[in-house]
Amino acid sequence: MSLLDKVNNKNIPQHVAIIMDGNGRWAKARDLERSEGHREGIETIEKVVDACTQANVKYLTIYAFSVENWLRPEDEVNTLMDLLVYFITKETPKLLKNGIRLQTIGETERLPERTRNALYKCMEETASGEKLTLVVALSYSSRWELTKAAKDIAADVKNGVLDGNSITEETINNYLATKNMPDVDLLIRTGGEIRISNFMLWQASYAELYFTDTYWPDFDEECLYEAILYFQKKERRFGKISEQLEKENQ
Ligand code: IPE
Ligand code: IPE
Ligand code: MG
């Protein structure tokens, strides 16, 4: 029996975001190169995308490469960029078949041409997918995103496109890379660290946080369903008290 059978399909997190961590340690534990961990991690993405489709999740954002990850050894960065091309190219037919739309957030212009091209091609081909939006965060960090939003807002106020006094939370949402996406409902981090590492600081303000020691290459469909079951046990109060929520649900 799959844990999917236990999942309440009336309370599915609309937006799941994942900090896919632990590839290096997974490899080290097996006396393998770190790149082998990244390779194995690609297979996990495929499983988790399938599981999200099965569970009817609408947005899945995966943190594939942070702005800070550019500081890693050049060899490792190159391997990751190659693996992304491999993943995107291999997955495109499946994404098309399953109605999955690929999108990206981050400093796309910093990516090597081969990675950028593969990404844009896949995004174009899958643009009409409606079942699930798969968002790959690449050269992404929250502070980069918020700094960029501040600059863009300042420019628009200066140009007279925007009235500074009328800026609301909604305005800020519209200047983020995640514009038009719902807030994160469930944030998962694999690999045992209990930290956010500059990911979705604004969008995950009210997300349920799920941390697991499982290294990303060992994570699978059932692990995803387990995280959804954890989410479903939570009472999301958004600042209110339980009694108010009970009344609202009557
Ligand atoms: C993968 O895990 C996440 C990426 C940055 C690609 P790591 O490569 O960070 O693995 P650990 O944390 O060293 O085990
Ligand atoms: C976070 O993992 C970034 C991604 C998963 C892409 P890291 O391994 O880079 O995070 P830190 O450095 O341990 O916080
Ligand atoms: Mg790590």
Side-chain angles (χ1 to χ4, degrees):
M1 193 182 111
S2 163
L3 287 176
L4 180 60
D5 300 327
K6 292 193 180 166
V7 166
N8 171 2
N9 56 22
K10 292 199 177 65
N11 183 24
I12 300 296
Q14 202 189 356
H15 188 170
V16 174
I18 309 183
I19 302 173
M20 311 183 289
D21 197 23
N23 292 351
R25 281 164 288 156
W26 180 91
K28 199 170 176 189
R30 286 162 181 76
D31 248 340
L32 299 168
E33 298 284 330
R34 289 180 59 85
S35 57
E36 292 305 316
H38 295 316
R39 222 176 295 281
E40 203 60 35
I42 293 283
E43 306 301 320
T44 305
I45 301 179
E46 211 178 317
K47 292 179 194 168
V48 168
V49 170
D50 274 348
C52 283
T53 316
Q54 291 293 322
N56 241 339
V57 169
K58 285 299 175 194
Y59 286 82
L60 169 65
T61 301
I62 50 173
Y63 202 9
F65 195 85
S66 71
V67 169
E68 291 75 20
N69 289 149
W70 289 114
L71 299 170
R72 291 193 179 192
E74 201 181 327
D75 267 8
E76 178 160 347
V77 170
N78 279 330
T79 303
L80 283 165
M81 294 299 147
D82 284 341
L83 279 172
L84 282 160
V85 177
Y86 164 77
F87 167 72
I88 295 166
T89 315
K90 178 167 101 109
E91 281 306 285
T92 303
K94 205 167 159 198
L95 299 181
L96 273 169
K97 183 168 154 255
N98 294 334
I100 301 167
R101 167 172 66 152
L102 188 90
Q103 292 195 344
T104 186
I105 52 172
E107 310 170 294
T108 321
E109 64 283 357
R110 274 185 86 177
L111 301 173
E113 212 178 328
R114 62 190 192 283
T115 311
R116 208 171 40 233
N117 288 347
L119 200 60
Y120 283 161
K121 187 162 177 278
C122 180
M123 278 165 62
E124 215 175 287
E125 285 178 24
T126 61
S128 61
E130 285 183 349
K131 173 85 182 142
L132 168 74
T133 301
L134 172 62
V135 185
V136 187
L138 271 177
S139 193
Y140 171 88
S141 82
S142 255
R143 288 184 173 186
W144 159 80
E145 180 184 42
L146 292 167
T147 307
K148 183 178 184 303
K151 276 190 196 156
D152 292 347
I153 289 174
D156 281 352
V157 169
K158 198 170 164 212
N159 298 335
V161 178
L162 191 67
D163 168 14
N165 290 318
S166 64
I167 293 173
T168 61
E169 290 188 6
E170 203 44 49
T171 316
I172 297 185
N173 269 328
N174 287 332
Y175 280 83
L176 298 178
T178 52
K179 166 182 166 189
N180 299 329
M181 295 178 199
D183 279 351
V184 175
D185 298 302
L186 171 61
L187 175 62
I188 299 172
R189 182 175 187 140
T190 62
E193 306 293 5
I194 317 286
R195 59 175 172 252
I196 304 291
S197 303
N198 217 348
F199 187 51
M200 299 282 213
L201 300 179
W202 172 279
Q203 300 87 340
S205 293
Y206 260 109
E208 298 303 331
L209 307 180
Y210 182 84
F211 297 97
T212 169
D213 286 339
T214 306
Y215 292 143
W216 179 247
D218 289 329
F219 198 82
D220 63 11
E221 294 90 337
E222 294 301 311
C223 299
L224 195 271
Y225 300 142
E226 209 170 307
I228 294 181
L229 288 170
Y230 167 87
F231 167 89
Q232 295 190 331
K233 284 198 213 103
K234 295 287 158 188
E235 180 182 56
R236 304 186 79 196
R237 291 189 287 278
F238 297 97
K240 297 182 182 174
I241 64 168
S242 295
E243 287 74 6
Q244 290 173 292
L245 301 176
E246 280 159 22
K247 248 193 205 142
E248 284 168 14
N249 290 331
Q250 268 167 18

